Amino acid sequence: MAHLVWGWLTAIDLFLIGSAGGAAIASGAAHILGKGEYDALAESGAYLAPILGLASLLTVMLDLGRLTVAPMNVIYVFSHLPVSMVSAGTVFRIFFIAVAALNAILWLFRKETLINYVVRIICGAVNVVLGFLVTIYPGVMLAFARGKPFWGSPFFPWVISVNAMLSGLVLAVFAIPIIGVFMPRLCPSLLEARRTVLIHRIPERAGLYMAILIVIDLAFTVAYLTSVAGTAQYTLLFTNFLLFSMFWGGFIGLGLIIPLIVYLLAKLRLGIPLSVWILLLYLCFILVAVGSVSGRYALLAAGQLI
Amino acid sequence: MGEKFSRRSFLKTVGTGFGLTTLFVTSGKTKNLTATTTKPKAMLIDIRKCIGCKACQIACKIWNKLPAEETRITAENEYVNPPRFSADTWCYVKFSEVREKEGIVKWRMASLRCMHCLEPACVSVCPTKALKKLPEGPVVYDPSRCIGCKYCVEACPWHVPHFDEEKKVISKCVFCVDRIKAGMVPACVANCQTGALQFGDRDEILEKAHSSGAPYIYGEKEAGGTSMIFVSDVPFKELGFPEVSSKPMETFKSDMLTSIASVGVIATIISFAGYFAAKFLRRKEEVAKTLKEEK
């Protein structure tokens, strides 16, 4: 593989910030629309969003070419607002991480008071909006890169954004039992979820939304690939072995098709115990996350070659 | 091998000596080009007149103190050496083999450098305003503001800016801004022996391009217009020039944003329609089931 200007670190950064936004959207939606039934998801998403957001900020800092030479130059990053998408994106990120952190604190020290509840609802709603912005801006930023026609499609930011929502949702669900085990006293709703039937209901419900998002993402991917089919970079997705495996095998196969098939089979049950399907769904959540990283790298790399 | 190497060394020495002499001679010339005015400047590159001597390439290296690169001539890049822009190569001559109708092959050479667009993509995307478009025409770079995000590298339609991983700095042609400000012509123009490179006000250069009789002009409208105006007797596509739309960068961005938003709105409408259709069908099924049970 030739030297890439934006490589693995950028792909991981795009995955982390997208998943952070996706987790925030899942958390906000579960809290506002879930009628208290999905508080475990709302809580795990609320904790995950700032953690992933901060991790993405660290990754993007490490990816900067002049951090070791002129570290103080980062203060100029807001100089070109709102013209440069990097400037705009940095503002979105910072506001998002700040609100996500506040939301997580509110969840961590929550009291069953009306004020606390209302503030959490407001914070969750703001985080849904900011979460959406951080899921879509990387795609818009790449679409504005005029020198790379492979990214220059109006469908491209939506492929990235929907996939980010998908990876955020599955990571938030996946985190429920993990956080529930390691912080049971701090997170009563997660503990409760772990002990009760909710541990089944949440992944089942999340599985449905996962399937819907997979279908939407597949539709956007088909539209996107059709719109860039004339570019030289498009052929690389078929001719370059690494990109072929990462895009078709990792992103489409492992990350979208297999989880969708497993979910549809789980709906049919086929006489297999529910607990086995739940385990399979959790496995699918991992596949979605792996496919998400794989897809981002493949799309990022293919756009820069030739 | 030894003979080849010594010949190359000889040519390099002669070329460097020739370049330096010309630079010193021309640096004395004060043509009063732009010292007092800020009219945008441009360069005319007449591909019909270029003989591929690479004097422009050497002059650029000398004036900008750019080190030589170890390169290889392969079947793919033929005489193009170095084969592309890099942090140390701001100007190079691209050789193209053009096939004529009766099986006759002819060579065309094009001296390439930063296009110094009127609305540069690199300037538009730079988050720190480290890249700037000067009123005289050059697109220049200020390392004291750069964070190394490399967005400019990805944004340029001609793949001009390069990030020097060793020096940790963005590198590209600056249109010899120091020479222009001093009322001189860029080093590459000063060294061109055949008049293939000419320098002047953009209006005059465009006039010259149109009156040159060349059937093909490149750079007048591409990306909203550039400071490099190429004229040729063969289509630019055959010379490997990228097809760039005439939209200026800001129009390109606003059009793209509108398209992205439209896709989002349409997708949302379709999703909601699908959701309500599914809900309606499910309700219909439920009603039918209840009726059946009642019967």
Side-chain angles (χ1 to χ4, degrees), chain A residues 143-178:
Chain A
F144 280 175
R146 199 171 186 173
K148 303 289 179 281
F150 186 62
W151 301 329
S153 159
F155 296 103
F156 183 69
W158 293 105
V159 173
I160 300 282
S161 176
V162 174
N163 196 260
M165 290 178 205
L166 184 61
S167 60
L169 170 72
V170 298
L171 287 177
V173 181
F174 196 80
I176 295 173
I178 296 170

Side-chain angles (χ1 to χ4, degrees), chain A residues 3 5-6 64-66 69 73-74 76-77 79-80 83-84 86-87 141 144 146-148 152 154 157-158 220 304, chain B residues 123-129 143-151 154-156 159 168 245 247 249 253 260 264 267:
Chain A
H3 172 75
V5 176
W6 285 342
L64 292 179
R66 282 175 64 79
V69 184
N73 279 10
V74 289
Y76 297 122
V77 79
S79 308
H80 211 180
V83 179
S84 170
V86 171
S87 292
M141 181 186 82
F144 280 175
R146 199 171 186 173
K148 303 289 179 281
W158 293 105
F220 275 130
Q304 294 172 75
Chain B
V123 173
S124 172
V125 300
C126 179
T128 62
K129 289 190 178 173
S144 70
R145 291 185 74 90
C146 178
I147 53 170
C149 69
K150 300 167 221 167
Y151 198 6
E154 304 290 20
C156 176
H159 315 292
K168 308 276 180 203
S245 83
K247 282 181 194 171
M249 187 57 186
K253 279 165 71 177
I260 293 168

Side-chain angles (χ1 to χ4, degrees), chain B residues 225-288:
Chain B
T226 73
S227 304
M228 298 296 135
I229 309 294
F230 291 84
V231 291
S232 168
D233 55 348
V234 282
F236 284 96
K237 203 177 174 184
E238 285 181 36
L239 301 175
F241 279 55
E243 278 180 59
V244 180
S245 83
S246 59
K247 282 181 194 171
M249 187 57 186
E250 292 316 309
T251 317
F252 170 81
K253 279 165 71 177
S254 63
D255 285 359
M256 179 60 80
L257 211 55
T258 312
S259 308
I260 293 168
S262 311
V263 168
V265 169
I266 293 166
T268 310
I269 292 169
I270 293 171
S271 303
F272 272 105
Y275 171 75
F276 286 115
K279 209 174 174 183
F280 174 73
L281 288 174
R282 191 182 286 176
R283 181 83 190 125
K284 210 176 162 183
E285 265 177 32
E286 276 172 13
V287 171

Side-chain angles (χ1 to χ4, degrees), chain A residues 5-50:
Chain A
V5 176
W6 285 342
W8 269 112
L9 264 179
T10 318
I12 290 169
D13 164 50
L14 296 186
F15 168 73
L16 289 173
I17 190 63
S19 301
I25 293 170
S27 163
H31 186 45
I32 297 163
L33 307 169
K35 296 167 190 167
E37 218 172 301
Y38 302 104
D39 271 4
L41 176 61
E43 195 170 355
S44 81
Y47 297 143
L48 209 57

Side-chain angles (χ1 to χ4, degrees), chain A residues 27 77-78 101 103 114 137 145 174 190 201 209 244 282-283 285:
Chain A
S27 163
V77 79
F78 308 107
N103 197 28
L114 185 67
Y137 106 82
F174 196 80
L190 298 177
R201 198 178 296 158
Y209 290 112
F244 178 84
Y282 271 98
L283 184 70
F285 295 158

Side-chain angles (χ1 to χ4, degrees), chain B:
Chain B
M1 187 72 187
E3 192 198 350
K4 208 174 176 183
F5 189 78
S6 62
R7 188 189 295 163
R8 182 182 282 189
S9 308
F10 170 75
L11 285 170
K12 265 188 184 172
T13 316
V14 171
T16 310
F18 175 71
L20 274 172
T21 314
T22 323
L23 275 178
F24 282 120
V25 171
T26 54
S27 62
K29 289 180 194 171
T30 46
K31 292 187 178 177
N32 287 328
L33 283 167
T34 56
T36 50
T37 60
T38 51
K39 257 188 154 184
K41 299 294 166 196
M43 196 187 286
L44 181 73
I45 300 122
D46 193 336
I47 287 171
R48 299 166 304 173
K49 289 183 185 171
C50 183
I51 55 167
C53 69
K54 300 186 183 179
C56 51
Q57 206 170 307
I58 294 169
C60 176
K61 289 257 182 197
I62 294 168
W63 185 260
N64 296 297
K65 297 182 179 69
L66 298 169
E69 281 180 84
E70 197 177 316
T71 55
R72 267 185 169 188
I73 294 176
T74 63
E76 194 191 331
N77 59 40
E78 292 169 335
Y79 297 107
V80 191
N81 190 24
R84 60 185 71 86
F85 292 115
S86 74
D88 295 327
T89 300
W90 294 355
C91 166
Y92 74 96
V93 181
K94 184 176 164 58
F95 286 60
S96 303
E97 213 175 345
V98 185
R99 291 183 194 282
E100 279 190 331
K101 278 179 191 172
E102 293 145 23
I104 302 163
V105 171
K106 60 182 176 185
W107 283 100
R108 284 294 174 267
M109 297 87 171
S111 173
L112 304 177
R113 61 193 60 64
C114 172
M115 298 292 282
H116 297 279
C117 310
L118 302 185
E119 273 192 43
C122 55
V123 173
S124 172
V125 300
C126 179
T128 62
K129 289 190 178 173
L131 282 152
K132 257 186 241 165
K133 172 83 179 166
L134 299 182
E136 295 91 344
V139 175
V140 294
Y141 159 78
D142 176 9
S144 70
R145 291 185 74 90
C146 178
I147 53 170
C149 69
K150 300 167 221 167
Y151 198 6
C152 53
V153 179
E154 304 290 20
C156 176
W158 289 280
H159 315 292
V160 171
H162 273 75
F163 188 75
D164 189 328
E165 294 288 351
E166 275 177 29
K167 293 177 199 157
K168 308 276 180 203
V169 71
I170 286 288
S171 189
K172 66 175 271 302
C173 159
V174 289
F175 211 172
C176 287
V177 65
D178 47 353
R179 291 175 65 96
I180 292 179
K181 283 194 171 174
M184 289 150 48
V185 298
C188 51
V189 178
N191 277 267
C192 182
Q193 301 306 303
T194 60
L197 301 181
Q198 292 174 52
F199 179 77
D201 289 344
R202 193 169 185 271
D203 309 341
E204 289 170 16
I205 289 291
L206 275 175
E207 231 176 85
K208 274 186 191 177
H210 285 289
S211 58
S212 68
Y216 303 102
I217 298 177
Y218 188 93
E220 183 185 6
K221 288 173 184 158
E222 279 72 13
T226 73
S227 304
M228 298 296 135
I229 309 294
F230 291 84
V231 291
S232 168
D233 55 348
V234 282
F236 284 96
K237 203 177 174 184
E238 285 181 36
L239 301 175
F241 279 55
E243 278 180 59
V244 180
S245 83
S246 59
K247 282 181 194 171
M249 187 57 186
E250 292 316 309
T251 317
F252 170 81
K253 279 165 71 177
S254 63
D255 285 359
M256 179 60 80
L257 211 55
T258 312
S259 308
I260 293 168
S262 311
V263 168
V265 169
I266 293 166
T268 310
I269 292 169
I270 293 171
S271 303
F272 272 105
Y275 171 75
F276 286 115
K279 209 174 174 183
F280 174 73
L281 288 174
R282 191 182 286 176
R283 181 83 190 125
K284 210 176 162 183
E285 265 177 32
E286 276 172 13
V287 171
K289 207 175 172 183
T290 320
L291 283 171
K292 210 175 178 183
E293 277 170 7
E294 277 175 7
K295 274 181 186 175

